[in-house]
Amino acid sequence: MSDVMIAVQHVFKSVTDSTGSLTILRDIDFTLNKGETAAIVGASGSGKSTLLSIVAGLDTPSQGTVHIDGVDLFALSEDQRAALRSQKVGFVFQSFQLLGNLTALENVMLPLELAGQRDARATATQMLQRVGLGERLSSYPKVLSGGEQQRVALARAFVVRPAVLLADEPTGSLDFATGAKIMELMFELNREQGTTLVLVTHDRAIAQRCERRITIEAGQVAAERVEA
């Protein structure tokens, strides 16, 4: 049985508009094992977020493919990819992506309900208590601080115990102190659940906490560092 959770294989991504063709990613190739943590770093416009979207199966490569836990994402239909994401992948975004018409509890319950889990309310309540929001269950996102909203987003991502967690600049909308607390919580939850974590970040200190650092320059892997 393979220990590989994510295999990115010779991924290229090009887009074409009226000015011609632009290559965003060029021959990206790496693997991550179950439970590994990796930071994708690089300058703005280097292709980091596009790569993360392709790993999630939200965007399609021009060439190459991605395997998640042995499954070829791009041999699946869009509906099949969505089903695989709901079972195996959690997301944390810079902009939180909470549903404003749902309470904190309802936001965290949603993925459990979509998966047909019967004890969604109890499980979501427990997860919000784990991230320090046991007193905010009935609060709507608009009355929560940025740090609290990101805690709800973390709870929603981890409540389904995903095999893979993808995070795109998870502290980008937060002040330094709040962002540091959120990252500490993310790494704690990641260790507890043994998730494979891939995060896009500009923050060197966050990147250095990951076991792997993959640097993207002009759409290519310029360097990869593995912590001993």
Side-chain angles (χ1 to χ4, degrees), residues 26-46:
R26 190 187 306 277
D27 201 18
I28 305 291
D29 197 88
F30 64 87
T31 60
L32 295 173
N33 288 336
K34 293 173 183 175
E36 265 195 302
T37 58
I40 299 174
V41 297
S44 294
S46 59

Side-chain angles (χ1 to χ4, degrees), residues 103-192:
T103 65
L105 180 59
E106 289 165 343
N107 266 283
V108 179
M109 286 172 61
L110 188 61
L112 296 170
E113 291 175 328
L114 292 173
Q117 190 162 323
R118 293 169 64 182
D119 57 349
R121 180 172 292 273
T123 304
T125 298
Q126 189 174 27
M127 195 69 210
L128 281 164
Q129 289 169 339
R130 171 65 187 83
V131 300
L133 292 178
E135 304 297 314
R136 303 292 259 158
L137 303 182
S138 60
S139 298
Y140 289 90
K142 67 182 179 183
V143 300
L144 298 174
S145 69
E148 287 173 329
Q149 289 186 63
Q150 196 60 297
R151 285 172 185 267
V152 175
L154 281 179
R156 182 183 58 188
F158 279 105
V159 75
V160 293
R161 303 189 72 84
V164 173
L165 182 76
L166 304 176
D168 193 358
E169 296 286 1
T171 62
S173 297
L174 305 173
D175 64 78
F176 178 80
T178 304
K181 290 176 183 174
I182 290 296
M183 289 313 304
E184 193 61 48
L185 183 58
M186 179 182 287
F187 282 113
E188 278 179 22
L189 291 167
N190 200 67
R191 284 192 297 270
E192 288 169 15

Side-chain angles (χ1 to χ4, degrees), residues 40 48-50 52-53 90-96 150 165-173 186 197-202:
I40 299 174
K48 304 185 302 298
S49 292
T50 300
L52 201 71
S53 292
F91 296 92
V92 179
F93 301 96
Q94 176 177 338
S95 56
F96 317 134
Q150 196 60 297
L165 182 76
L166 304 176
D168 193 358
E169 296 286 1
T171 62
S173 297
M186 179 182 287
L197 171 66
V198 184
L199 64 89
V200 165
T201 184
H202 283 100

